[in-house]
Amino acid sequence: MLGIRRYRVVCWLLFSLLGLFGCVQEYYDDGKGGNDKEAAPLQLGSLLIKEGRTDLRSGTQSLTNCEIGIFRYTSTGYSGTRNNVHYCCNNGTWSIPDAGVPIYLTKSPASLCAYYPYSSADDYADGTVTLTSQLYSESADLCYQKGITASSTSGAVNLTLNHAYAKWVFNFTRDASYTGTCAVSKIKIAHADVVSSNTLNMLTGQYGIPGT
């Protein structure tokens, strides 16, 4: 009987250790920093967009209803990257849509990059996107912030995003002596230094070789 009891104890310990190692591995694969049991999901606070307009007193625009993407780089304490994780803000409350896995942080500082608006396109998979000169539209106006540092003890992360594109605005004033309708149908800009397209690595802020 004593031998049987010892066998049962050994088996119980063996299964317990296997179960423990299995949990640690799963914890690691979820991007929670390996064996650090104090990992916590990333908490987000305010989101501001820097503006180049003089009619905004603060120089920024606050967004409380939006969708963004966030990247977590590989660094000390984080074995793998998390690419283009989808976050939604609804009246100032952040969530992960479609039962997605949030970005986890440990006490070790992590490096993050955020961009707006969110896109699930393949072009955004690794943080390097293609920029194309085009007519302005809010959905195509890419904004991003690189080099964000956060940990499980740093509290909510407030984001301030910069525009990736330069925006040209033309103002036309009709002279009082002109009696026509002054309807402008097309503007053509021709110059050797005008860039038609380029790539931007949002993780580093580096632009590629521009197309003409």
Side-chain angles (χ1 to χ4, degrees), residues 3 7 20 24-25 33 39 48 52 98 105 142 149 159 173-174 194 197-198 203:
Y7 175 76
L20 177 61
V24 169
Q25 183 62 40
L48 301 177
D98 304 323
L105 304 175
L142 177 66
T149 301
L159 304 173
T173 302
R174 185 176 62 179
V194 172
S197 64
N198 201 350
L203 309 184

Side-chain angles (χ1 to χ4, degrees), residues 55-98:
D55 58 335
L56 290 176
R57 183 177 302 175
S58 64
T60 58
Q61 176 188 5
S62 177
L63 298 181
T64 56
N65 291 281
C66 59
E67 298 183 42
I68 66 173
I70 298 183
F71 296 80
R72 190 194 68 198
Y73 317 169
T74 300
S75 58
T76 303
Y78 300 94
S79 62
T81 60
R82 292 297 308 282
N83 290 335
N84 203 20
V85 181
H86 190 185
Y87 281 82
C88 288
C89 185
N90 185 12
N91 294 324
T93 300
W94 291 95
S95 63
I96 304 289
D98 304 323

Side-chain angles (χ1 to χ4, degrees), residues 15-178:
F15 284 124
S16 296
L17 288 173
L18 288 174
L20 177 61
F21 288 136
C23 290
V24 169
Q25 183 62 40
E26 182 180 1
Y27 200 69
Y28 187 91
D29 289 343
D30 275 348
K32 301 179 185 179
N35 298 336
D36 192 337
K37 295 182 180 181
E38 297 185 19
L42 168 67
Q43 300 296 318
L44 296 174
S46 62
L47 174 61
L48 301 177
I49 303 293
K50 282 190 176 181
E51 294 289 344
R53 294 161 46 189
T54 57
D55 58 335
L56 290 176
R57 183 177 302 175
S58 64
T60 58
Q61 176 188 5
S62 177
L63 298 181
T64 56
N65 291 281
C66 59
E67 298 183 42
I68 66 173
I70 298 183
F71 296 80
R72 190 194 68 198
Y73 317 169
T74 300
S75 58
T76 303
Y78 300 94
S79 62
T81 60
R82 292 297 308 282
N83 290 335
N84 203 20
V85 181
H86 190 185
Y87 281 82
C88 288
C89 185
N90 185 12
N91 294 324
T93 300
W94 291 95
S95 63
I96 304 289
D98 304 323
V101 178
I103 290 176
Y104 282 89
L105 304 175
T106 68
K107 289 183 178 180
S108 300
S111 294
L112 310 173
C113 169
Y115 77 93
Y116 164 83
Y118 172 79
S119 174
S120 60
D122 291 342
D123 192 36
Y124 288 75
D126 60 358
T128 298
V129 297
T130 301
L131 306 178
T132 303
S133 296
Q134 57 190 295
L135 290 176
Y136 173 80
S137 67
E138 186 175 355
S139 61
D141 187 18
L142 177 66
C143 301
Y144 75 104
Q145 181 181 357
K146 66 179 182 65
I148 305 165
T149 301
S151 69
S152 60
T153 59
S154 61
V157 177
N158 296 318
L159 304 173
T160 302
L161 278 56
N162 293 283
H163 290 271
Y165 284 96
K167 183 180 179 182
W168 289 7
V169 178
F170 297 89
N171 293 318
F172 296 89
T173 302
R174 185 176 62 179
D175 188 90
S177 62
Y178 181 74

